[in-house]
Coordinates of all heavy atoms in Angstrom, one line a residue:
G50 N 107.4 85.1 94.1 CA 107.8 86.2 93.2 C 108.1 87.5 94.0 O 109.1 88.2 93.7
V51 N 107.3 87.8 94.9 CA 107.5 89.1 95.7 C 108.7 89.0 96.6 O 109.5 89.9 96.7 CB 106.2 89.4 96.6 CG1 106.5 90.6 97.5 CG2 105.0 89.7 95.6
V52 N 108.9 87.8 97.2 CA 110.1 87.6 98.0 C 111.4 87.7 97.2 O 112.4 88.4 97.6 CB 110.1 86.2 98.7 CG1 111.4 85.9 99.4 CG2 109.0 86.2 99.8
I53 N 111.4 87.2 95.9 CA 112.5 87.3 95.0 C 112.7 88.8 94.7 O 113.9 89.3 94.7 CB 112.4 86.5 93.8 CG1 112.4 85.0 94.1 CG2 113.5 86.8 92.7 CD1 112.0 84.1 93.0
A54 N 111.6 89.5 94.4 CA 111.7 91.0 94.2 C 112.3 91.7 95.4 O 113.1 92.7 95.2 CB 110.4 91.5 93.8
L55 N 111.9 91.3 96.6 CA 112.4 91.9 97.8 C 114.0 91.7 97.9 O 114.7 92.6 98.2 CB 111.7 91.3 99.0 CG 112.0 91.9 100.4 CD1 111.5 93.4 100.4 CD2 111.2 91.1 101.4
I56 N 114.4 90.5 97.6 CA 115.8 90.2 97.6 C 116.6 91.0 96.6 O 117.7 91.5 96.8 CB 116.1 88.7 97.4 CG1 115.5 87.9 98.6 CG2 117.5 88.3 97.2 CD1 115.4 86.4 98.4
A57 N 116.0 91.1 95.4 CA 116.6 91.9 94.3 C 116.7 93.4 94.7 O 117.7 94.0 94.4 CB 115.7 91.8 93.0
T58 N 115.7 93.9 95.4 CA 115.7 95.3 95.9 C 116.9 95.5 96.9 O 117.6 96.5 96.9 CB 114.4 95.7 96.5 OG1 113.4 95.5 95.6 CG2 114.4 97.2 96.9
A59 N 117.0 94.5 97.8 CA 118.1 94.5 98.8 C 119.4 94.5 98.1 O 120.4 95.2 98.6 CB 117.9 93.4 99.8
G60 N 119.5 93.7 97.0 CA 120.8 93.6 96.3 C 121.1 95.0 95.6 O 122.3 95.2 95.3
L61 N 120.1 95.8 95.3 CA 120.4 97.1 94.7 C 120.8 98.2 95.7 O 121.1 99.3 95.3 CB 119.1 97.6 93.9 CG 118.8 96.8 92.6 CD1 117.5 97.2 92.1 CD2 119.9 96.9 91.6
I62 N 120.8 97.9 97.0 CA 121.1 99.0 98.0 C 122.4 99.6 97.7 O 122.5 100.9 97.8 CB 120.9 98.4 99.4 CG1 119.5 98.1 99.8 CG2 121.6 99.3 100.4 CD1 119.2 97.4 101.1
P63 N 123.5 98.9 97.4 CA 124.8 99.6 97.2 C 124.9 100.4 96.0 O 125.8 101.2 95.8 CB 125.8 98.4 97.2 CG 125.1 97.2 97.7 CD 123.6 97.4 97.3
A64 N 123.9 100.3 95.0 CA 124.0 101.0 93.8 C 123.9 102.5 94.0 O 123.1 103.0 94.8 CB 122.8 100.5 92.8
K65 N 124.6 103.3 93.2 CA 124.6 104.7 93.3 C 123.3 105.2 92.7 O 122.7 104.6 91.8 CB 125.8 105.3 92.5 CG 127.1 105.0 93.0 CD 127.4 105.7 94.4 CE 128.7 105.3 94.9 NZ 128.9 105.9 96.3
P66 N 122.8 106.4 93.0 CA 121.6 107.0 92.5 C 121.7 107.1 90.9 O 122.8 107.5 90.4 CB 121.5 108.4 93.1 CG 122.3 108.3 94.3 CD 123.4 107.3 94.1
V67 N 120.7 106.6 90.3 CA 120.7 106.6 88.8 C 119.3 106.8 88.3 O 118.4 106.5 89.0 CB 121.3 105.2 88.3 CG1 120.4 104.1 88.6 CG2 121.6 105.3 86.8
S68 N 119.2 107.4 87.1 CA 117.9 107.6 86.5 C 118.0 107.1 85.0 O 119.0 107.3 84.4 CB 117.5 109.1 86.5 OG 118.4 109.9 85.8
I69 N 116.9 106.5 84.6 CA 116.8 106.0 83.2 C 115.5 106.5 82.6 O 114.7 107.1 83.2 CB 116.9 104.4 83.2 CG1 115.8 103.8 83.9 CG2 118.3 104.0 83.7 CD1 115.8 102.3 83.8
L70 N 115.4 106.2 81.3 CA 114.2 106.5 80.5 C 113.9 108.0 80.6 O 112.8 108.5 81.0 CB 113.0 105.7 81.0 CG 113.1 104.2 80.9 CD1 111.9 103.5 81.6 CD2 113.1 103.8 79.4
Y71 N 114.9 108.8 80.3 CA 114.9 110.3 80.3 C 114.4 110.8 81.6 O 113.6 111.7 81.7 CB 113.9 110.8 79.2 CG 114.4 110.4 77.8 CD1 113.8 109.4 77.1 CD2 115.5 111.1 77.2 CE1 114.2 109.1 75.8 CE2 115.9 110.8 75.9 CZ 115.3 109.8 75.2 OH 115.8 109.5 74.0
D72 N 115.0 110.2 82.7 CA 114.8 110.7 84.1 C 113.4 110.5 84.6 O 113.0 111.2 85.5 CB 115.2 112.2 84.2 CG 115.8 112.5 85.6 OD1 116.3 111.6 86.2 OD2 115.7 113.7 85.9
T73 N 112.7 109.6 84.0 CA 111.3 109.3 84.5 C 111.3 108.2 85.5 O 110.4 108.1 86.3 CB 110.4 108.9 83.3 OG1 110.9 107.7 82.7 CG2 110.2 110.0 82.3
F74 N 112.4 107.4 85.5 CA 112.5 106.3 86.5 C 113.8 106.5 87.3 O 114.9 106.6 86.7 CB 112.5 105.0 85.9 CG 112.5 103.8 86.8 CD1 111.3 103.2 87.3 CD2 113.7 103.3 87.3 CE1 111.3 102.2 88.2 CE2 113.7 102.3 88.2 CZ 112.5 101.7 88.7
R75 N 113.7 106.7 88.6 CA 114.9 107.0 89.4 C 115.1 105.9 90.5 O 114.1 105.4 91.1 CB 114.7 108.3 90.2 CG 114.7 109.5 89.3 CD 114.7 110.8 90.1 NE 115.7 110.9 91.1 CZ 117.0 111.2 90.8 NH1 117.4 111.5 89.6 NH2 117.9 111.2 91.8
L76 N 116.3 105.5 90.6 CA 116.7 104.5 91.7 C 117.6 105.3 92.6 O 118.8 105.4 92.4 CB 117.4 103.3 91.1 CG 117.6 102.2 92.2 CD1 116.3 101.4 92.4 CD2 118.6 101.2 91.7
D77 N 117.0 105.8 93.7 CA 117.8 106.5 94.7 C 117.5 105.9 96.1 O 116.8 104.9 96.2 CB 117.5 108.0 94.7 CG 116.0 108.3 94.7 OD1 115.3 107.4 95.2 OD2 115.6 109.4 94.2
S78 N 118.1 106.5 97.1 CA 118.0 105.9 98.4 C 116.5 105.9 98.9 O 116.0 104.9 99.5 CB 118.8 106.8 99.4 OG 120.1 106.8 99.1
F79 N 115.8 106.9 98.5 CA 114.4 107.1 98.9 C 113.6 105.9 98.3 O 112.8 105.2 99.0 CB 113.9 108.4 98.4 CG 112.4 108.7 98.7 CD1 112.1 109.3 99.9 CD2 111.5 108.4 97.8 CE1 110.7 109.5 100.2 CE2 110.1 108.6 98.0 CZ 109.8 109.2 99.2
S80 N 113.8 105.7 97.0 CA 113.0 104.7 96.3 C 113.3 103.3 96.8 O 112.4 102.4 97.0 CB 113.2 104.7 94.8 OG 114.5 104.5 94.5
K81 N 114.6 103.0 97.1 CA 115.0 101.7 97.5 C 114.4 101.4 98.9 O 113.9 100.3 99.2 CB 116.5 101.6 97.6 CG 117.1 101.4 96.2 CD 118.6 101.3 96.2 CE 119.3 102.7 96.3 NZ 120.8 102.6 96.1
A82 N 114.5 102.4 99.8 CA 114.0 102.2 101.2 C 112.5 101.9 101.2 O 112.0 101.0 101.9 CB 114.3 103.4 102.0
F83 N 111.7 102.7 100.5 CA 110.3 102.5 100.5 C 109.8 101.3 99.7 O 108.8 100.7 100.0 CB 109.6 103.8 100.0 CG 109.6 104.9 101.1 CD1 110.6 105.8 101.2 CD2 108.6 104.9 102.1 CE1 110.6 106.8 102.2 CE2 108.6 105.8 103.1 CZ 109.6 106.8 103.2
K84 N 110.6 100.9 98.7 CA 110.3 99.7 98.0 C 110.4 98.4 98.9 O 109.6 97.5 98.8 CB 111.2 99.5 96.8 CG 110.6 100.2 95.5 CD 111.5 99.7 94.3 CE 111.6 100.9 93.3 NZ 112.5 100.6 92.3
L85 N 111.4 98.5 99.8 CA 111.5 97.4 100.7 C 110.3 97.3 101.6 O 109.8 96.2 101.9 CB 112.7 97.6 101.7 CG 114.1 97.5 101.0 CD1 115.2 97.9 102.0 CD2 114.4 96.1 100.5
L86 N 109.7 98.4 102.0 CA 108.5 98.4 102.8 C 107.3 97.9 102.1 O 106.6 97.0 102.6 CB 108.2 99.8 103.3 CG 109.0 100.5 104.4 CD1 108.4 101.8 104.8 CD2 109.1 99.5 105.6
V87 N 107.0 98.4 100.8 CA 105.8 97.9 100.1 C 105.9 96.5 99.7 O 104.9 95.8 99.7 CB 105.5 98.8 98.9 CG1 105.2 100.3 99.3 CG2 106.6 98.8 97.8
L88 N 107.2 96.0 99.4 CA 107.3 94.6 99.0 C 107.1 93.7 100.2 O 106.5 92.6 100.1 CB 108.7 94.3 98.4 CG 108.8 94.8 96.9 CD1 110.3 94.9 96.5 CD2 108.1 93.9 96.0
A89 N 107.6 94.1 101.4 CA 107.4 93.3 102.6 C 105.9 93.3 103.0 O 105.4 92.2 103.3 CB 108.2 93.9 103.8
G90 N 105.3 94.4 102.9 CA 103.8 94.5 103.1 C 103.1 93.6 102.1 O 102.1 92.9 102.5
G91 N 103.4 93.7 100.9 CA 102.8 92.9 99.8 C 102.9 91.4 100.0 O 101.9 90.7 99.9
A92 N 104.1 91.0 100.4 CA 104.3 89.5 100.7 C 103.5 89.0 101.8 O 102.9 88.0 101.8 CB 105.8 89.3 101.0
L93 N 103.4 89.8 102.9 CA 102.6 89.4 104.1 C 101.1 89.4 103.7 O 100.4 88.5 104.2 CB 102.9 90.4 105.2 CG 104.2 90.4 105.9 CD1 104.5 91.5 106.8 CD2 104.5 89.0 106.6
C94 N 100.6 90.4 102.9 CA 99.2 90.4 102.5 C 98.9 89.2 101.6 O 97.8 88.6 101.7 CB 98.9 91.7 101.8 SG 98.9 93.1 102.9
L95 N 99.8 88.8 100.8 CA 99.6 87.6 99.9 C 99.5 86.3 100.8 O 98.8 85.4 100.5 CB 100.7 87.4 98.9 CG 100.6 88.3 97.7 CD1 101.9 88.4 96.9 CD2 99.5 87.8 96.8
L96 N 100.3 86.3 101.9 CA 100.2 85.1 102.8 C 98.8 85.1 103.5 O 98.3 84.0 103.7 CB 101.3 85.2 103.9 CG 102.7 84.8 103.5 CD1 103.7 85.1 104.5 CD2 102.8 83.3 103.1
L97 N 98.3 86.2 103.7 CA 96.9 86.3 104.3 C 95.9 85.8 103.2 O 95.0 85.0 103.5 CB 96.5 87.7 104.6 CG 97.1 88.5 105.8 CD1 96.3 89.7 106.2 CD2 97.3 87.6 107.0
A98 N 96.1 86.2 102.0 CA 95.2 85.8 100.9 C 95.2 84.3 100.6 O 94.2 83.7 100.2 CB 95.6 86.6 99.6
L99 N 96.4 83.7 100.9 CA 96.5 82.3 100.7 C 95.5 81.5 101.5 O 94.9 80.5 101.0 CB 97.9 81.9 101.2 CG 98.4 80.5 101.1 CD1 98.6 80.1 99.7 CD2 99.6 80.2 101.9
D100 N 95.1 81.9 102.7 CA 94.2 81.2 103.6 C 92.9 81.9 103.8 O 92.2 81.7 104.7 CB 94.9 80.9 104.9 CG 96.1 80.1 104.8 OD1 96.0 79.0 104.2 OD2 97.2 80.4 105.3
Y101 N 92.6 82.9 102.9 CA 91.3 83.6 103.0 C 90.1 82.8 102.5 O 90.1 82.4 101.3 CB 91.4 84.9 102.2 CG 90.1 85.7 102.3 CD1 89.6 86.2 103.5 CD2 89.4 86.1 101.1 CE1 88.4 86.9 103.6 CE2 88.3 86.8 101.2 CZ 87.8 87.2 102.4 OH 86.6 88.0 102.4
R102 N 89.2 82.5 103.4 CA 88.0 81.6 103.0 C 86.7 82.2 103.5 O 86.3 81.8 104.6 CB 88.2 80.2 103.6 CG 89.4 79.4 103.0 CD 89.5 78.0 103.5 NE 90.6 77.3 102.9 CZ 91.8 77.3 103.4 NH1 92.1 78.0 104.4 NH2 92.7 76.6 102.8
P103 N 86.1 83.1 102.8 CA 84.9 83.7 103.2 C 83.8 82.6 103.1 O 83.9 81.6 102.3 CB 84.6 84.8 102.2 CG 85.4 84.5 101.0 CD 86.6 83.7 101.5
K104 N 82.7 82.8 103.8 CA 81.6 81.8 103.9 C 81.0 81.5 102.5 O 80.7 80.4 102.2 CB 80.5 82.3 104.8 CG 80.8 82.3 106.3 CD 80.8 80.8 106.8 CE 81.1 80.8 108.3 NZ 81.2 79.5 108.9
E105 N 80.9 82.6 101.7 CA 80.2 82.4 100.4 C 81.2 81.9 99.3 O 80.8 81.7 98.2 CB 79.6 83.7 99.9 CG 80.5 84.7 99.3 CD 81.2 85.6 100.4 OE1 81.0 85.3 101.6 OE2 81.9 86.6 100.0
G106 N 82.5 81.7 99.7 CA 83.5 81.3 98.8 C 84.0 82.4 98.0 O 83.6 83.6 98.0
L107 N 85.1 82.1 97.2 CA 85.7 83.2 96.3 C 86.0 82.6 95.0 O 87.1 82.0 94.8 CB 86.9 83.8 97.0 CG 87.5 85.1 96.5 CD1 86.5 86.2 96.6 CD2 88.8 85.4 97.2
S108 N 85.1 82.7 94.1 CA 85.3 82.0 92.8 C 86.3 82.7 91.9 O 86.9 82.1 91.0 CB 83.9 82.0 92.0 OG 83.5 83.4 91.9
H109 N 86.7 83.9 92.2 CA 87.7 84.7 91.4 C 89.0 84.8 92.1 O 89.7 85.8 92.0 CB 87.1 86.0 91.0 CG 85.8 86.0 90.3 ND1 85.7 85.7 89.0 CD2 84.6 86.2 90.8 CE1 84.4 85.7 88.7 NE2 83.7 86.0 89.7
R110 N 89.4 83.7 92.7 CA 90.6 83.7 93.5 C 91.9 83.9 92.6 O 92.8 84.5 93.1 CB 90.8 82.3 94.3 CG 91.9 82.3 95.3 CD 91.8 81.0 96.1 NE 90.8 81.0 97.0 CZ 90.8 81.5 98.3 NH1 91.9 82.2 98.6 NH2 89.8 81.4 99.1
G111 N 91.9 83.4 91.4 CA 93.0 83.6 90.5 C 93.3 85.0 90.2 O 94.4 85.5 90.4
E112 N 92.2 85.8 89.9 CA 92.4 87.2 89.6 C 92.9 87.9 90.9 O 93.6 88.9 90.8 CB 91.0 87.8 89.2 CG 90.6 87.4 87.8 CD 89.6 86.2 87.9 OE1 89.8 85.3 88.7 OE2 88.7 86.2 87.0
F113 N 92.4 87.4 92.0 CA 92.8 88.1 93.3 C 94.3 88.3 93.4 O 94.8 89.3 93.8 CB 92.2 87.2 94.4 CG 92.3 87.8 95.8 CD1 91.2 88.4 96.3 CD2 93.4 87.7 96.6 CE1 91.2 89.0 97.6 CE2 93.4 88.2 97.9 CZ 92.3 88.9 98.3
Y114 N 95.1 87.2 93.1 CA 96.5 87.2 93.3 C 97.2 88.2 92.4 O 98.1 88.9 92.7 CB 97.1 85.8 93.2 CG 96.4 84.8 94.2 CD1 96.0 83.6 93.8 CD2 96.3 85.2 95.5 CE1 95.4 82.7 94.6 CE2 95.6 84.3 96.4 CZ 95.2 83.1 96.0 OH 94.6 82.2 96.8
Y115 N 96.9 88.1 91.1 CA 97.6 88.9 90.1 C 97.2 90.4 90.1 O 97.9 91.3 89.8 CB 97.7 88.3 88.7 CG 96.5 88.0 88.0 CD1 95.7 89.0 87.4 CD2 96.1 86.7 87.8 CE1 94.5 88.7 86.7 CE2 94.9 86.3 87.1 CZ 94.2 87.4 86.6 OH 93.0 87.0 85.9
L116 N 96.0 90.6 90.6 CA 95.5 92.0 90.8 C 96.3 92.7 91.9 O 96.7 93.8 91.9 CB 94.0 92.1 91.0 CG 93.1 92.1 89.8 CD1 91.7 91.9 90.1 CD2 93.3 93.3 88.9
L117 N 96.5 91.8 93.0 CA 97.3 92.3 94.1 C 98.7 92.7 93.7 O 99.3 93.7 94.1 CB 97.3 91.3 95.2 CG 97.5 91.7 96.7 CD1 96.3 92.6 97.1 CD2 97.6 90.6 97.6
L118 N 99.3 91.8 92.8 CA 100.6 92.1 92.3 C 100.7 93.4 91.4 O 101.6 94.1 91.5 CB 101.1 90.9 91.5 CG 101.5 89.6 92.3 CD1 102.0 88.6 91.3 CD2 102.6 89.9 93.3
C119 N 99.6 93.6 90.7 CA 99.5 94.8 89.8 C 99.5 96.0 90.7 O 100.1 97.1 90.4 CB 98.3 94.7 88.9 SG 98.5 93.5 87.6

Side-chain angles (χ1 to χ4, degrees):
V51 175
V52 170
I53 293 170
L55 188 61
I56 294 166
T58 306
L61 289 172
I62 288 175
K65 296 291 181 186
V67 66
S68 62
I69 60 174
L70 299 171
Y71 296 105
D72 212 23
T73 58
F74 185 92
R75 292 185 55 77
L76 188 77
D77 50 24
S78 301
F79 180 88
S80 62
K81 287 180 277 190
F83 282 94
K84 272 188 213 173
L85 290 174
L86 285 185
V87 297
L88 284 165
L93 291 169
C94 291
L95 280 165
L96 284 171
L97 292 196
L99 181 73
D100 297 309
Y101 178 60
R102 293 184 179 87
K104 288 286 184 184
E105 78 275 8
L107 193 63
S108 57
H109 303 280
R110 190 175 285 276
E112 289 96 324
F113 192 93
Y114 304 130
Y115 56 76
L116 280 170
L117 206 66
L118 287 179
C119 289

